[in-house]
Short mmCIF file of all heavy atoms in Angstrom, two decimals:
data_model
loop_
_atom_site.label_atom_id
_atom_site.label_comp_id
_atom_site.label_asym_id
_atom_site.label_seq_id
_atom_site.Cartn_x
_atom_site.Cartn_y
_atom_site.Cartn_z
N LEU B 358 30.90 -5.44 -0.39
CA LEU B 358 30.30 -4.10 -0.46
C LEU B 358 30.35 -3.48 0.93
O LEU B 358 30.19 -4.19 1.92
CB LEU B 358 28.84 -4.19 -0.91
CG LEU B 358 28.57 -4.94 -2.22
CD1 LEU B 358 27.08 -5.18 -2.40
CD2 LEU B 358 29.14 -4.18 -3.41
N SER B 359 30.56 -2.17 1.01
CA SER B 359 30.57 -1.57 2.34
C SER B 359 29.45 -0.55 2.51
O SER B 359 28.98 0.04 1.54
CB SER B 359 31.93 -0.91 2.62
OG SER B 359 31.98 0.38 2.09
N GLY B 360 29.04 -0.38 3.76
CA GLY B 360 28.11 0.69 4.12
C GLY B 360 26.63 0.39 4.00
O GLY B 360 25.81 1.24 4.27
N THR B 361 26.29 -0.85 3.64
CA THR B 361 24.86 -1.13 3.44
C THR B 361 24.55 -2.61 3.65
O THR B 361 25.40 -3.38 4.08
CB THR B 361 24.42 -0.66 2.03
OG1 THR B 361 22.99 -0.65 1.99
CG2 THR B 361 24.98 -1.56 0.94
N CYS B 362 23.32 -3.02 3.34
CA CYS B 362 22.91 -4.43 3.39
C CYS B 362 21.62 -4.61 2.57
O CYS B 362 20.97 -3.63 2.24
CB CYS B 362 22.69 -4.88 4.84
SG CYS B 362 21.19 -4.23 5.61
N PRO B 363 21.28 -5.85 2.22
CA PRO B 363 20.06 -6.08 1.42
C PRO B 363 18.80 -5.47 2.04
O PRO B 363 17.98 -4.88 1.34
CB PRO B 363 19.95 -7.60 1.35
CG PRO B 363 21.34 -8.09 1.49
CD PRO B 363 22.00 -7.12 2.44
N GLY B 364 18.64 -5.61 3.35
CA GLY B 364 17.46 -5.08 4.01
C GLY B 364 17.30 -3.60 3.77
O GLY B 364 16.20 -3.10 3.51
N ILE B 365 18.41 -2.85 3.85
CA ILE B 365 18.39 -1.40 3.67
C ILE B 365 18.15 -1.04 2.19
O ILE B 365 17.40 -0.12 1.88
CB ILE B 365 19.73 -0.78 4.13
CG1 ILE B 365 19.92 -0.94 5.64
CG2 ILE B 365 19.84 0.68 3.70
CD1 ILE B 365 19.13 -0.01 6.51
N LEU B 366 18.80 -1.77 1.28
CA LEU B 366 18.68 -1.43 -0.14
C LEU B 366 17.28 -1.72 -0.67
O LEU B 366 16.78 -1.04 -1.55
CB LEU B 366 19.72 -2.20 -0.97
CG LEU B 366 21.19 -1.83 -0.72
CD1 LEU B 366 22.10 -2.78 -1.49
CD2 LEU B 366 21.48 -0.38 -1.11
N GLY B 367 16.68 -2.78 -0.14
CA GLY B 367 15.34 -3.15 -0.62
C GLY B 367 15.37 -3.66 -2.05
O GLY B 367 14.34 -3.74 -2.72
N LYS B 368 16.56 -4.00 -2.53
CA LYS B 368 16.71 -4.43 -3.91
C LYS B 368 17.92 -5.36 -4.01
O LYS B 368 18.95 -5.09 -3.40
CB LYS B 368 16.96 -3.19 -4.77
CG LYS B 368 16.36 -3.28 -6.13
CD LYS B 368 16.55 -2.02 -6.91
CE LYS B 368 16.51 -2.44 -8.38
NZ LYS B 368 16.75 -1.35 -9.28
N LEU B 369 17.78 -6.42 -4.78
CA LEU B 369 18.87 -7.40 -4.91
C LEU B 369 19.10 -7.76 -6.37
O LEU B 369 18.23 -7.52 -7.21
CB LEU B 369 18.49 -8.68 -4.16
CG LEU B 369 18.45 -8.64 -2.64
CD1 LEU B 369 17.98 -9.97 -2.11
CD2 LEU B 369 19.82 -8.31 -2.08
N PRO B 370 20.27 -8.37 -6.66
CA PRO B 370 20.41 -8.95 -8.00
C PRO B 370 19.29 -9.99 -8.16
O PRO B 370 18.85 -10.56 -7.16
CB PRO B 370 21.77 -9.64 -7.96
CG PRO B 370 22.48 -9.09 -6.77
CD PRO B 370 21.44 -8.63 -5.82
N PRO B 371 18.85 -10.27 -9.40
CA PRO B 371 17.75 -11.22 -9.59
C PRO B 371 18.09 -12.55 -8.90
O PRO B 371 19.12 -13.15 -9.20
CB PRO B 371 17.68 -11.41 -11.10
CG PRO B 371 18.42 -10.24 -11.67
CD PRO B 371 19.40 -9.78 -10.66
#
Side-chain angles (χ1 to χ4, degrees):
Chain B
L358 306 169
S359 84
T361 194
C362 73
I365 294 283
L366 294 173
K368 214 176 154 183
L369 290 177

